[in-house]
Amino acid sequence: MKKTSLQPNSACACCPGVWVLGGDTVSPGPSPPGDSLGLVFCREGRLQIDLPGGRAAQVGEKNVLLLGRWGEAQPCSTEADGAGCILLAVDRSRVADRPLPAPLDWAAIDDLLEARGGCAALERDGWTAALFQVLARLPAGEQADYCAFKVLELLYLLSHQGLSVSAAPWAAYYDSRQIQVTRQVHDYMLSHLEEHLTIPDLSSRFHVSPTLLKSCFSQLYGCPLHSCLRQHRLRRGAELLRSTSLPIAEVAAQVGYGSVSQFGAAFRQEFGVSPSQYRKNSD
């Protein structure tokens, strides 16, 4: 997994007191204090944040995670180099002076978070659905500013019980070596789709227990190892059917199926048509 430091990258010009996080370069100037509130807007994919005490919290697609003290969070790990996530830090003292219909009730917000272990997920409702619908329509360069713009509204609603939060989904903690080995297994699978691959064989090759490999893989990639392997095999098979004139038996062999019938049954289940019909439709 890619490690992304929770460091201030730049202050948001449109929203004083809000910092956009991520990346290895820290812009010059003051940083938000360590007791700043952290927010993660996950547009797609999945993100894991390592917290003190060996805990790890997860945030999934189209969800918002709140961290009571962003300065206490360890580097966060995410798929796709963090491309699907926007991370913000909110300086409590600076945003407290912003004009609002009523003052922010930081005590109420802290109580919400403390009751959930210092980390909470915003429950999916009309507010979050509208937020991510707008994000999907905005250019990439404007999405972080939009999230920063929405922060005050979010905090105001939390202060006055206009939004609900739940405990963040806690993830099993895996150390950097376990994560690295699991990534290596994933990459090996993708480059050896034609081979007969089993969990015991992969565990032996990479010197990791089958139980740990299965659980860590599911957490990193959001699906069981065997499901991921099957999906990549069939997608590669579909690509070969579209781009080559190889016999279907050869396509099946190149993606790890021992017979045309096995490949055909799995392919039909995935794509709704037989391999031969898929090829015809692609012409």
Side-chain angles (χ1 to χ4, degrees):
M1 269 194 173
K2 172 75 173 179
K3 293 292 184 179
T4 305
S5 297
L6 289 178
Q7 294 296 325
N9 190 307
S10 60
C12 182
C14 68
C15 299
V18 180
W19 271 258
V20 180
L21 310 180
D24 299 322
T25 303
V26 179
S27 299
S31 300
D35 67 347
S36 295
L37 182 77
L39 296 111
V40 180
F41 296 81
C42 186
R43 297 164 298 180
E44 58 185 5
R46 163 191 309 259
L47 181 142
Q48 176 179 310
I49 296 180
D50 299 335
L51 299 168
R55 298 182 303 156
Q58 285 187 343
V59 55
E61 185 170 324
K62 293 182 173 57
N63 223 327
V64 180
L65 191 74
L66 295 91
L67 297 164
R69 297 287 187 273
W70 79 269
E72 295 178 356
Q74 300 301 309
C76 65
S77 50
T78 178
E79 295 177 16
D81 297 342
C85 299
I86 296 168
L87 292 84
L88 304 175
V90 181
D91 182 340
R92 296 164 179 255
S93 61
R94 293 192 64 188
V95 299
D97 298 331
R98 302 287 296 280
L100 291 168
L104 293 178
D105 187 344
W106 283 108
I109 295 173
D110 287 339
D111 287 345
L112 283 175
L113 290 167
E114 184 177 353
R116 293 157 181 82
C119 186
L122 202 64
E123 292 188 354
R124 294 192 181 189
D125 58 11
W127 191 90
T128 52
L131 168 79
F132 286 105
Q133 285 175 1
V134 172
L135 278 181
R137 295 196 295 266
L138 289 176
E142 298 178 13
Q143 293 181 7
D145 282 345
Y146 178 73
C147 288
F149 176 75
K150 296 291 283 185
V151 161
L152 274 185
E153 180 183 344
L154 188 158
L155 295 176
Y156 177 79
L157 291 173
L158 287 176
S159 290
H160 301 281
Q161 301 181 348
L163 289 174
S164 299
V165 297
S166 58
W170 297 110
Y173 184 82
Y174 299 100
D175 62 33
S176 58
R177 179 194 169 277
Q178 292 166 337
I179 291 173
Q180 181 182 18
V181 168
T182 304
R183 298 285 286 186
Q184 290 171 351
V185 170
H186 176 267
D187 293 345
Y188 181 88
M189 283 168 35
L190 297 193
S191 60
H192 295 79
L193 293 176
E194 75 284 358
E195 296 182 6
H196 178 66
L197 302 173
T198 67
I199 289 175
D201 290 342
L202 291 168
S203 300
S204 176
R205 175 180 287 273
F206 288 92
H207 309 291
V208 61
S209 78
T211 300
L212 188 145
L213 175 59
K214 288 189 292 184
S215 61
C216 189
F217 193 100
S218 292
Q219 185 162 302
L220 294 189
Y221 296 100
C223 65
L225 186 151
H226 63 85
S227 297
C228 181
L229 177 59
R230 178 181 181 276
Q231 186 178 67
H232 281 292
R233 279 176 163 161
L234 294 174
R235 287 180 179 177
R236 175 58 178 159
E239 180 186 344
L240 291 173
L241 290 170
R242 291 193 309 269
S243 61
T244 74
S245 58
L246 289 171
I248 292 176
E250 179 63 23
V251 171
Q254 288 202 21
V255 294
Y257 283 88
S259 71
V260 173
S261 60
Q262 289 178 342
F263 175 63
F267 194 92
R268 183 183 290 275
Q269 186 178 12
E270 180 74 14
F271 295 101
V273 296
S274 67
S276 57
Q277 187 61 51
Y278 182 89
R279 174 171 270 170
K280 288 180 181 178
N281 294 345
S282 300
D283 290 340

